[in-house]
Amino acid sequence: MNVIVVLAGILCILMVVIGGKQGLRSFLSLFLNFGVLFVTIFLMTNPKNSPIVLTFIACTVISCISLFYINKTNSKTITAFISTMVTIVVLLLFITFITKKAMIQGFGEESTEEISIFSLYIGVNFVQIGASVIIMSTIGAIMDVAISIATSMHEIFYRNPSISRKTLFTSGISIGRDILGTDTNTLFFAFFGGYLSLLIWFKDLSYSIGEIVNSKVFSAEMMTIFCAGIGIALIIPIASSVNAYYLVKTREKK
């Protein structure tokens, strides 16, 4: 039997045993999100379609699947979804600008021989493609922080319904600070784990430290880490303010 099928089966069994129905929905959401990414990539091959618009739509659908399908529709997932979308809009504008200024789009000089027989005039905006790649790499971490803060703040509010909006917001920031360091390090080590072979390749090519840092391949990945860290840092005050406003507003209506 194919090893991938076996691993998928083990993962499914563990998620169902530990998570129950929610674990099964989490497992199925992996395939749904993969389908969304596949369709998005297919549509990006059409020069008439804007990669930025497609990325925003894909992030919206992925957020709906990851939040509403897995955790169902409730006040926590609604506030987490709003916080995620606000952060994504800010990041899209910021990353598009940074990608254009840093000129990390397209292929690096290491790929010159492989692509020399192909035409590069394919009508695709590589600046927007580069921005889309970075956004897609950060959406998971952003949603994770958003739902973590929303769940914690809802629990604080239900334990102390008379808490003020300012105190609730401060609690959200305090929770986010504990998440910030661990999630940023997770992204950092995920990069070095996934690109360890790239670093070994640089060593075999006798690249100096300066050549590695200025390599487009390396720079693009480091920018992805930094932009993901910026997204995690942004989502903390945004999610805290959205949840504090929503919870206090709900209490006032009651």
Side-chain angles (χ1 to χ4, degrees), residues 109-117:
E109 59 181 8
E110 295 83 6
S111 305
T112 304
E113 293 183 5
E114 288 82 357
I115 64 175
S116 59
I117 61 174

Side-chain angles (χ1 to χ4, degrees), residues 216-233:
K216 183 175 288 188
V217 178
F218 183 83
S219 299
E221 295 304 323
M222 290 305 296
M223 284 191 62
T224 301
I225 295 175
F226 291 142
C227 290
I230 292 171
I232 294 173

Side-chain angles (χ1 to χ4, degrees), residues 10 13 32 44 47 76 107 189 207 209 213 221 228:
I10 295 174
I13 292 172
L32 295 176
M44 282 184 181
K76 291 180 290 187
F107 301 95
F189 288 113
Y207 272 35
I209 298 298
V213 172
E221 295 304 323

